[in-house]
Amino acid sequence: MRFSSVAASAFLGLALTSNNINNVNAFSVGSQSRGLRVRSSGSSGSVGQQFSYSAAIEGNKKIRYIVSSTRLFEGQEAESEAEIETVGETAEETKEVEAAEAESETEAEAEEVKAEAAAEETESESKEVETAEVKADAETDAETKTDEEEKKEEPVEVEEVKYVLELCEVPPASHSIEQSNNGPANGPTTTLTINLGYPGHPEPLVIETGVIGRQAAGAITLTRGETVLYTTAARDNSPKETIDFLPLSVEHQERFSSAGLTSGSYNRRDGRPSEHEVLTCRLIDRPLRPLIADGWRHETQLLNWVLSYDGLRSCDPLAITAAATALWISDVPLSKPVAAANVGLIDGTLVLNPTNEQMEHSTLNLTLAGTKDAVLMIEGAADFLTEEVMIEALTFGHEAIKTICVAVEEFGSMEGVGKEKNYSTLVKPLDGLQEEVNEVLGDKVEALWNEEGRKEDLSSSMSALSKEAWSTFEEKYPDSKNAVMKCYKSLLSKKMYQKAKNTGIRCDGRKLDEVRAIDIATTMLPKVHGSALFTRGETQAIATATLGDSGMKQKIDTVDGLNNKRFYLQYTFPPSCVGETGRVGMPGRREVGHGNLAERALSATLPSEDEFPYTIRVESLITESNGSSSMASVCGGSLALMDAGVPVKAPVAGIAMGMLLDDVNSVSDDDAVIISDLLGTEDGLGTMDFKVAGDRRGITTFQMDIKCEGLTIKTMERALQQAKEGRMHILDKMEEVLAGPREELPPTIPRINTFMIPADSIGKVIGPGGKQIRAVIEDFELINMNVEEDGKIQITSLDTKKMKKAESFIMELITKAGGGRGGGRGGGGGGREPRPAYVGPDAVEGQVYKGKITGIHQFGVFVEILPGAEDGSTPGLEGLCHVSELHYERVRNCEGFIKSMGVEELEVKYIGKNAKGQLQLSRKAVQEDRRNRGRKSSGGLNKNSEEEKKQPEMSKKESDVIAQAIEGISNL
């Protein structure tokens, strides 16, 4: 079945000009097993904007149409692409609509084609298809245009079709274990395969041990699809008897080589952990630490590497599951298997471990870990979801965790897999010591909690009582100070719980659901764009907001490629905020985690970059701390954003919830006491730290850590409801001071203007060696000017009049042959001089050349295959090796791929010219030629070669579209 570009455009209700039609890529026809799937996003097709639409027909025909287009500026040819995918048997053949003549440039002709196509679709489908028109100015000679043709018509808004979730069928939940002698030296190996049974997650989890890392206490590989993790658990042979805590450390590394990349550092070696790797280490540590037997003092280390990454789904839940499994099969006394899952919410449907693409459409990103009995840890962000939806998502994710935990428990019980747990070296409590401490110090601890004083007074009293506790028992237990102090701490916790449970009053005199006194001040720093001082009890934060242009974005190199963050929050916790001295420098893991939590809380309320083109940086400096400084950062950050005039959707507040238990070594029950606005003392002696942030509609972020063996869904539901009440109280206090964003940006914030120019005029704006762009910045007193590859220009200035003059000058510059300096005063010079042409022999099509790399871009690499004049008077002959022609496997990050090669030259084949006469080069063709020669020399005995998948070839039309889009870039 053949489809024309006009047929597709007519079906979508798009009136495409001949320019659009000529640039529509060749359609690809494929198949899927599950019905019709539609996705689309769009905006109006007015000049200077981008748009993409898709539509579909439901009924007898199961065909997907996707058409996307980009109009960069008036008169420029648009880039369009269309894909039609046959999903099932069609009940009736679609009638072919003849393509409009290339000369059909006028609006009337485009409308005629659209109407004709729409009528035929209506007849074939017996169904009315709504259409919307995107008008494009006809590209005709300026002298023949009539006044009526020159009038720009307002774009017709097209209703956006929602993303439709596609979830393939999967086998039911199950697991199987296989043992063999396939290891090194025919050693035993054990493989666990787990089918989770959730639609959309066809890849099983495959855990294997006995092949790699056999000298570690526990070592496994975990595979899902083409993602492979390797994890080890190791411990020292002898315990550290002088310490009174669990010496557990966790390291997680996402190796660049796992995605076919190399670090961009000077020595090309993966360096210190990235922010995401630090956050993943915390995710691994938090659910495992509470389940390691009390009294374990062996130095224990969990090491986790991502060895292969397919870029399909997040590795975070895999990292937790892999580390827990390695620890479970070791001799470290972990009480239960632990597993993790990721949950998304797409159009009201909960999805287990969604793909990265699906997560872009999700209103929830929840990572949770737990045992088969209860939840241990949750972390994530949401788009103003209700507490009821959160509970549903937690229940949904915990079901998958149960499946994994049951399988891992059996895996560890297999012969030769799980080692016997080492309980012999545990520091055990002395018989009768706890009872003695309770009897001697019980009344004094009760009196301590009845003081209900400030942090300073309470700390002094606790310190004095702590010294008294040791002095009382030092003579009887001279070598057991840690044991005595542990019993003393247990008494403090038990008495705190009893007071709260019996009286409803906490150690500082507040009720269980009472929030401390709140004081707020804004605009306290005159030169800062936005500032706020948020004080809640004895926790205080100074939050500032700074706005800038796109050059202020935070650049992060990851295995998914370079990530440019438009909004980021940086949290600082100096030792002085708790009255201490200590190291000050790079942020520690705790600071990274708290900053990321507050950042997620505020992200959901920010306007899009199209609505508000600023890059936003929030800083939170903790000046006092007595519990929940991260939630103070959320409140202060929200106030600072509004003080800076950022049009946030709504104010956001955060609160930390705590839990007190009678028995900290059990799962939460109905006797658990939930407390609001957690104190530092309650955090240290309690069993839960549950942070929740959001606005009046719902939750934007959450994080929970516990010290007991789990939290039931029922207890979590109680905590969420009580947190909502506290959040509403804090929002009331915030709105008394600042109810919404300032109506105008403060005068200290630079103004930003964004507009488009033709991509082939970029050279005129930049000038030789950047001469022209520097002149524009200097003459119009701009703060900055950024020119992107697609012709998007962003200028920043404190003077809006001069900024508008700069825009007028640039537009005038690109429409005239000359141009130059003068800040709008005109004058020649300063424009781009004509580039000398190549003089020399022509390239031979099909010939392989070794050329110098002259430019690296996301879309490909420019290579000089023939040299220019020795004196430099004429340039060499350049061509483009598109990213799809760089390697026989897919290259996700062109710049990173070339950097990882560490070469200055490429061997490429000249494969012809495009419609513009530009040279097209292919490195992939050279590789395939060599592989084919290797197969021939082996006599064709390699059967696997017949099964290799062919890489998709670019059509000539696709190449021409790319050439049109990047024309002029190589002149930079």
Side-chain angles (χ1 to χ4, degrees):
M1 184 185 300
R2 186 172 67 87
F3 293 85
S4 68
S5 58
V6 181
S9 64
F11 176 79
L12 294 174
L14 302 178
L16 301 179
T17 67
S18 60
N19 294 328
N20 300 100
I21 295 171
N22 290 337
N23 283 291
V24 173
N25 293 349
F27 294 145
S28 60
V29 179
S31 64
Q32 287 187 352
S33 60
R34 284 178 51 89
L36 180 63
R37 296 294 175 261
V38 186
R39 80 178 68 180
S40 76
S41 61
S43 61
S44 64
S46 58
V47 173
Q49 294 188 359
Q50 298 181 348
F51 62 91
S52 63
Y53 301 106
S54 70
I57 43 178
E58 299 182 14
N60 293 333
K61 283 197 178 301
K62 300 179 180 179
I63 299 175
R64 179 173 66 180
Y65 293 79
I66 298 177
V67 172
S68 65
S69 181
T70 303
R71 296 185 59 200
L72 299 181
F73 64 97
E74 183 179 7
Q76 181 188 358
E77 291 186 357
E79 299 172 13
S80 305
E81 60 183 3
E83 179 184 4
I84 299 179
E85 185 167 357
T86 303
V87 182
E89 291 296 328
T90 59
E92 187 177 353
E93 286 289 319
T94 303
K95 295 183 179 182
E96 179 180 351
V97 180
E98 293 298 326
E101 293 296 326
E103 295 80 10
S104 296
E105 299 173 347
T106 64
E107 175 186 322
E109 289 172 328
E111 287 182 336
E112 187 177 334
V113 173
K114 176 183 75 89
E116 181 182 340
E120 293 188 359
E121 285 295 333
T122 303
E123 291 177 5
S124 63
E125 296 300 322
S126 301
K127 182 176 178 180
E128 182 178 355
V129 179
E130 277 207 26
T131 63
E133 183 177 358
V134 178
K135 299 182 183 296
D137 293 330
E139 199 176 73
T140 60
D141 188 82
E143 296 179 359
T144 62
K145 279 188 177 180
T146 64
D147 292 339
E148 184 176 350
E149 288 175 326
E150 291 177 344
K151 293 180 180 178
K152 296 179 183 177
E153 301 212 16
E154 291 296 324
V156 179
E157 292 187 3
V158 179
E159 183 178 355
E160 181 178 346
V161 183
K162 290 184 178 180
Y163 174 84
V164 177
L165 180 64
E166 180 177 351
L167 298 177
C168 61
E169 297 296 334
V170 298
S174 63
H175 71 271
S176 61
I177 300 177
E178 295 181 2
Q179 291 189 307
S180 64
N181 293 321
N182 295 329
N186 296 323
T189 64
T190 305
T191 303
L192 167 65
T193 303
I194 307 172
N195 290 302
L196 297 178
Y198 282 76
H201 196 290
E203 307 94 344
L205 302 183
V206 180
I207 300 174
E208 186 177 52
T209 187
V211 178
I212 304 175
R214 293 170 296 162
Q215 296 184 40
I220 62 106
T221 59
L222 192 156
T223 303
R224 182 187 62 194
E226 295 182 335
T227 294
V228 180
L229 281 74
Y230 167 56
T231 303
T232 62
R235 78 292 173 265
D236 283 348
N237 292 326
S238 302
K240 297 181 181 297
E241 298 179 355
T242 58
I243 62 175
D244 61 349
F245 60 90
L246 170 63
L248 172 67
S249 62
V250 179
E251 301 294 337
H252 173 79
Q253 186 182 57
E254 296 175 346
R255 308 182 70 170
F256 282 93
S257 59
S258 67
L261 304 173
T262 292
S263 171
S265 63
Y266 179 77
N267 61 3
R268 297 294 186 268
R269 185 184 181 94
D270 292 13
R272 66 185 182 87
S274 66
E275 179 176 307
H276 182 259
E277 289 171 326
V278 169
L279 295 173
T280 306
C281 289
R282 288 170 56 85
L283 289 178
I284 296 171
D285 183 293
R286 285 156 47 196
L288 295 178
R289 188 175 290 270
L291 295 188
I292 297 177
D294 192 17
W296 179 257
R297 297 295 179 259
H298 294 258
E299 188 78 35
T300 306
Q301 189 176 50
L302 294 173
L303 302 179
N304 197 75
W305 294 271
V306 179
L307 299 183
S308 177
Y309 175 57
D310 58 13
L312 187 62
R313 306 173 195 268
S314 170
C315 294
D316 293 352
L318 296 184
I320 300 170
T321 303
T325 303
L327 199 62
W328 175 246
I329 65 174
S330 74
D331 60 351
V332 177
L334 184 71
S335 61
K336 301 176 182 178
V338 176
N342 191 219
V343 178
L345 180 65
I346 305 172
D347 197 21
T349 301
L350 292 170
V351 182
L352 181 73
N353 297 332
T355 65
N356 295 335
E357 181 185 2
Q358 290 170 343
M359 191 58 77
E360 292 177 1
H361 302 275
S362 176
T363 55
L364 172 68
N365 186 353
L366 166 65
T367 299
L368 71 159
T371 66
K372 64 181 181 181
D373 302 315
V375 176
L376 292 167
M377 181 275 299
I378 65 172
E379 178 103 16
D383 190 8
F384 306 105
L385 294 183
T386 63
E387 284 72 13
E388 292 75 16
V389 174
M390 279 294 304
I391 292 298
E392 184 181 355
L394 288 168
T395 305
F396 176 84
H398 190 233
E399 290 301 317
I401 289 175
K402 291 178 182 178
T403 300
I404 300 173
C405 287
V406 169
V408 170
E409 187 172 13
E410 183 179 342
F411 178 69
S413 65
M414 298 295 293
E415 182 180 357
V417 177
K419 297 181 175 65
E420 183 179 355
K421 298 300 180 183
N422 181 9
Y423 296 101
S424 62
T425 61
L426 293 181
V427 178
K428 299 178 181 179
L430 300 176
D431 292 338
L433 178 58
Q434 184 67 63
E435 289 74 13
E436 288 186 55
V437 172
N438 293 347
E439 183 179 354
V440 174
L441 301 174
D443 293 340
K444 295 181 179 180
V445 171
E446 286 185 10
L448 172 70
W449 293 142
N450 289 329
E451 287 185 10
E452 300 176 358
R454 296 176 66 251
K455 175 185 177 182
E456 185 177 355
D457 299 331
L458 188 61
S459 296
S460 299
S461 300
M462 289 181 66
S463 178
L465 187 56
S466 176
K467 293 177 181 179
E468 181 180 344
W470 172 234
S471 62
T472 302
F473 294 94
E474 182 178 9
E475 184 176 352
K476 186 175 182 180
Y477 303 99
D479 299 324
S480 304
K481 182 177 182 179
N482 289 340
V484 171
M485 300 313 296
K486 181 180 178 182
C487 292
Y488 168 67
K489 182 179 179 180
S490 177
L491 177 62
L492 288 173
S493 178
K494 194 173 189 68
K495 291 296 183 180
M496 177 184 285
Y497 165 79
Q498 290 175 352
K499 178 179 181 178
K501 182 69 176 177
N502 297 332
T503 67
I505 302 297
R506 295 151 67 178
C507 62
D508 63 346
R510 286 183 292 149
K511 297 179 181 178
L512 301 181
D513 60 352
E514 186 177 347
V515 178
R516 289 170 286 177
I518 295 175
D519 293 297
I520 297 171
T522 59
T523 322
M524 41 176 294
L525 303 173
K527 295 296 289 183
V528 176
H529 295 168
S531 59
L533 177 65
F534 182 85
T535 307
R536 185 185 59 239
E538 294 169 293
T539 297
Q540 185 182 74
I542 297 176
T544 59
T546 306
L547 309 185
D549 59 14
S550 57
M552 202 177 82
K553 289 183 178 180
Q554 191 180 52
K555 297 176 176 59
I556 302 174
D557 201 12
T558 69
V559 292
D560 285 310
L562 186 64
N563 180 24
N564 293 318
K565 289 181 67 175
R566 176 201 170 214
F567 168 65
Y568 47 99
L569 187 148
Q570 295 167 333
Y571 168 98
T572 304
F573 190 92
S576 61
C577 70
V578 289
E580 298 176 357
T581 61
R583 182 189 67 87
V584 176
M586 294 296 294
R589 291 189 175 186
R590 179 182 178 277
E591 290 176 294
V592 171
H594 280 43
N596 181 263
L597 176 65
E599 180 181 303
R600 294 198 310 266
L602 299 176
S603 294
T605 194
L606 294 176
S608 68
E609 191 168 4
D610 290 336
E611 297 170 323
F612 193 70
Y614 288 91
T615 297
I616 305 168
R617 178 193 185 198
V618 172
E619 295 174 279
S620 177
L621 174 64
I622 306 303
T623 51
E624 297 180 17
S625 180
N626 187 16
S628 190
S629 58
S630 62
M631 295 297 96
S633 299
V634 172
C635 300
S638 180
L639 290 164
L641 288 172
M642 293 190 293
D643 188 51
V646 178
V648 296
K649 299 172 185 175
V652 170
I655 187 170
M657 308 299 295
M659 181 176 70
L660 305 178
L661 281 179
D662 187 31
D663 182 7
V664 297
N665 295 317
S666 64
V667 176
S668 64
D669 52 25
D670 293 337
D671 291 330
V673 176
I674 306 298
I675 53 179
S676 300
D677 186 18
L678 193 65
L679 282 177
T681 304
E682 294 169 331
D683 186 13
L685 297 174
T687 55
M688 181 182 76
D689 183 3
F690 190 7
K691 302 180 178 73
V692 185
D695 70 350
R696 295 189 183 278
R697 292 173 293 166
I699 296 170
T700 58
T701 195
F702 42 86
Q703 183 186 85
M704 185 192 74
D705 299 317
I706 61 174
K707 301 173 187 174
C708 58
E709 290 205 357
L711 195 66
T712 63
I713 299 296
K714 184 177 180 181
T715 304
M716 198 174 301
E717 190 172 3
R718 288 171 52 200
L720 281 171
Q721 186 58 41
Q722 192 167 318
K724 181 179 180 180
E725 296 171 1
R727 191 171 76 243
M728 296 302 109
H729 170 76
I730 298 172
L731 285 170
D732 289 339
K733 294 295 183 180
M734 291 170 59
E735 291 175 359
E736 289 176 6
V737 178
L738 190 59
R742 307 283 186 198
E743 294 184 0
E744 295 184 0
L745 296 178
T748 54
I749 296 179
R751 272 47 179 175
I752 293 179
N753 185 25
T754 303
F755 57 96
M756 303 295 297
I757 66 168
D760 57 3
S761 297
I762 293 176
K764 292 182 180 180
V765 176
I766 295 178
K771 179 180 179 182
Q772 183 64 70
I773 191 172
R774 289 195 300 269
V776 174
I777 294 174
E778 177 184 343
D779 294 343
F780 294 99
E781 299 178 4
L782 304 179
I783 295 176
N784 192 27
M785 177 174 169
N786 185 49
V787 182
E788 298 184 5
E789 293 178 355
D790 61 355
K792 181 180 179 181
I793 294 183
Q794 186 181 82
I795 55 178
T796 311
S797 175
L798 290 171
D799 191 327
T800 55
K801 292 182 179 179
K802 290 185 177 180
M803 186 166 59
K804 291 179 180 179
K805 289 181 179 179
E807 179 183 357
S808 299
F809 173 75
I810 294 169
M811 299 307 294
E812 182 180 358
L813 177 68
I814 64 175
T815 56
K816 292 185 177 180
R821 292 192 59 153
R825 298 187 294 274
R832 187 182 67 183
E833 298 178 358
R835 186 180 181 186
Y838 165 74
V839 178
D842 293 332
V844 179
E845 188 169 344
Q847 183 71 35
V848 175
Y849 297 90
K850 189 171 186 179
K852 177 183 177 182
I853 298 174
T854 59
I856 305 173
H857 304 273
Q858 285 296 338
F859 52 79
V861 181
F862 287 99
V863 182
E864 181 184 284
I865 59 174
L866 290 174
E870 293 183 1
D871 60 1
S873 58
T874 59
L877 184 62
E878 281 187 358
L880 172 67
C881 182
H882 188 260
V883 63
S884 62
E885 296 292 334
L886 271 177
H887 197 62
Y888 57 83
E889 293 183 352
R890 181 190 173 198
V891 176
R892 284 193 293 265
N893 184 339
C894 180
E895 296 180 7
F897 179 78
I898 295 298
K899 289 179 181 178
S900 68
M901 294 175 64
V903 298
E904 297 181 355
E905 294 180 327
L906 284 182
E907 200 169 12
V908 293
K909 176 186 282 190
Y910 171 43
I911 58 176
K913 295 183 179 180
N914 59 23
K916 296 290 183 180
Q918 296 166 328
L919 277 66
Q920 296 176 288
L921 309 174
S922 175
R923 178 175 176 267
K924 180 174 72 175
V926 177
Q927 293 175 315
E928 290 178 343
D929 288 347
R930 289 175 177 169
R931 295 171 73 194
N932 291 334
R933 286 197 298 269
R935 295 190 191 105
K936 291 179 181 179
S937 64
S938 63
L941 297 178
N942 186 0
K943 296 181 181 180
N944 293 332
S945 63
E946 300 175 1
E947 301 174 359
E948 292 180 356
K949 296 181 179 179
K950 293 183 178 180
Q951 296 297 317
E953 297 291 339
M954 287 179 58
S955 68
K956 189 173 185 302
K957 288 185 178 181
E958 289 175 316
S959 301
D960 292 344
V961 170
I962 293 168
Q964 175 68 21
I966 64 176
E967 185 178 9
I969 296 296
S970 59
N971 296 332
L972 300 184

